[in-house]
Amino acid sequence: METTVEIGAYSFGDTQLNPDGSSRSTAEATKNLFDAIVHADRVGLDYFGVGEHHTVSMPASSPGTIIAAAAAATTQITLGSAASIIGTDDPVRVFQQFATADAISGGGRIEITAGRGSSVETFPLFGYDLNDYDELYAQKLDLLLTLNNNTTENVTWSGTARPSLPDLAVVPRPVQGSLPIWIATGGSAPSSARAGRLGLPLAYAIIGGQPHRFAPLAQLYRQSAAAAGHTENIKVSVATFGLVAPTKKEAVERMYPGWVNLNVEMGRLRGWPAPQKGAYLAQVDAPNAYFVGDPDDVAERIVALHGHLGHMRHFFQGDHGGLPHEYLMESITLLATEVKPRVERLLAAK
């Protein structure tokens, strides 16, 4: 169980909306995301994750590109994918992009989170069969780990998910020899056990319900790691929806329109029911999944969840559905300057 908690943010990019509800440019959304990362570094946030999505509303389609740019413009913050959809990407290119960002950063600030993806738009986009979902992920994760664990530039690997590597150079190498690679899951027991067996850190994406109910999964992860003989690098992080404002009322009101827009879009894509305000309001208070509130409220809820999961990092997505960019920037400031010190004080007092 960790005794400190890093505080961070994550984003898939968020395309702003015109007054008539139409989308503004995805180029603007990408620049806003870059600016948010640079701002997070300046105000002292610990971590920023860039998730991979390929939609008009969430256009962060190339996390490695954004992270490489941000690596050059920041000095302290840890940067990572949240997550890279490894099953439909090429692990060689993912590794090269993040190793390049690592070199630009000076080393030690770049991570990869490998996920299956809760969305399936990458399968038709890149020409993959959804029936191969599990096999693609397993093989490509194996390749990514092989690349990362190699001690030289030349790599040998064989499989059916992509052409084999017969002692071929994959460059650049990370500054410190390898990169932290996390496994992402939305709450799957097999994924939790797999991460433990592999000795990899585990990131839980919790987008609904009661986060403390993930405690048995975190226990399964740690037990699986111990059974496999892994004692180093066994870490849990948590990603949730979250927005901080000077008052709880402001935070709840600011996030609601974007939540509606997100759920309308997901309803169209995935058949979700029409969003109801009651469902939103039920999630914004403890012990539920939306960390939407003032600094005291959010800090207290992070520490309460830490008592169940022992997580070492908690990071938040607030920018979806056209959230005004200034609200995201204020939330990042408050996370770094108000929530983070409160969490430190509360944990120290335990």
Side-chain angles (χ1 to χ4, degrees), residues 57-58 207 241 255-276 279-280 290 320-321:
S57 64
M58 292 180 281
I207 61 172
F241 288 150
M255 192 169 179
Y256 178 65
W259 178 87
V260 170
N261 291 337
L262 173 67
N263 279 269
V264 167
E265 179 180 9
M266 291 298 103
R268 186 175 66 253
L269 294 174
R270 304 184 196 175
W272 290 5
Q276 301 294 322
Y280 169 75
Y290 300 171
H320 49 254

Side-chain angles (χ1 to χ4, degrees), residues 34 138 222 231:
F34 172 81
R222 292 186 174 104
T231 57

Side-chain angles (χ1 to χ4, degrees), residues 71-264:
T74 57
T75 59
Q76 300 295 326
I77 195 167
T78 298
L79 304 170
S81 56
S84 296
I85 311 308
I86 200 68
T88 52
D89 209 336
D90 183 353
V92 173
R93 292 302 283 155
V94 172
F95 181 78
Q96 289 174 324
Q97 289 164 3
F98 283 78
T100 299
D102 184 61
I104 292 169
S105 75
R109 291 198 290 122
I110 306 299
E111 302 177 350
I112 300 173
T113 301
R116 294 172 179 268
S118 61
S119 300
V120 297
E121 70 266 7
T122 58
F123 282 81
L125 186 63
F126 296 114
Y128 288 99
D129 187 337
L130 191 57
N131 291 322
D132 298 329
Y133 183 90
D134 290 326
E135 185 61 24
L136 284 168
Y137 181 76
Q139 285 201 36
K140 291 191 174 186
L141 177 61
D142 178 69
L143 173 54
L144 182 65
L145 295 177
T146 298
L147 294 164
N148 196 50
N149 294 334
N150 225 53
T151 56
T152 67
E153 286 80 4
N154 283 37
V155 179
T156 297
W157 178 89
S158 62
T160 59
R162 77 173 306 281
S164 299
L165 299 176
D167 196 35
L168 297 179
V170 178
V171 293
R173 293 296 305 170
V175 173
Q176 297 177 1
S178 63
L179 298 171
I181 294 183
W182 294 68
I183 297 293
T185 177
S188 160
S191 293
S192 298
R194 184 209 304 259
R197 288 194 304 271
L198 293 172
L200 297 174
L202 183 62
Y204 287 116
I206 307 176
I207 61 172
Q210 297 182 335
H212 69 268
R213 292 186 175 179
F214 277 62
L217 291 172
Q219 183 179 20
L220 171 63
Y221 162 66
R222 292 186 174 104
Q223 289 173 341
S224 300
H230 299 298
T231 57
E232 302 291 327
N233 207 34
I234 303 306
K235 303 175 182 178
V236 171
S237 69
V238 172
T240 62
F241 288 150
L243 190 73
V244 188
T247 68
K248 172 93 172 181
K249 182 174 184 293
E250 287 174 292
V252 171
E253 291 175 349
R254 288 176 179 184
M255 192 169 179
Y256 178 65
W259 178 87
V260 170
N261 291 337
L262 173 67
N263 279 269
V264 167

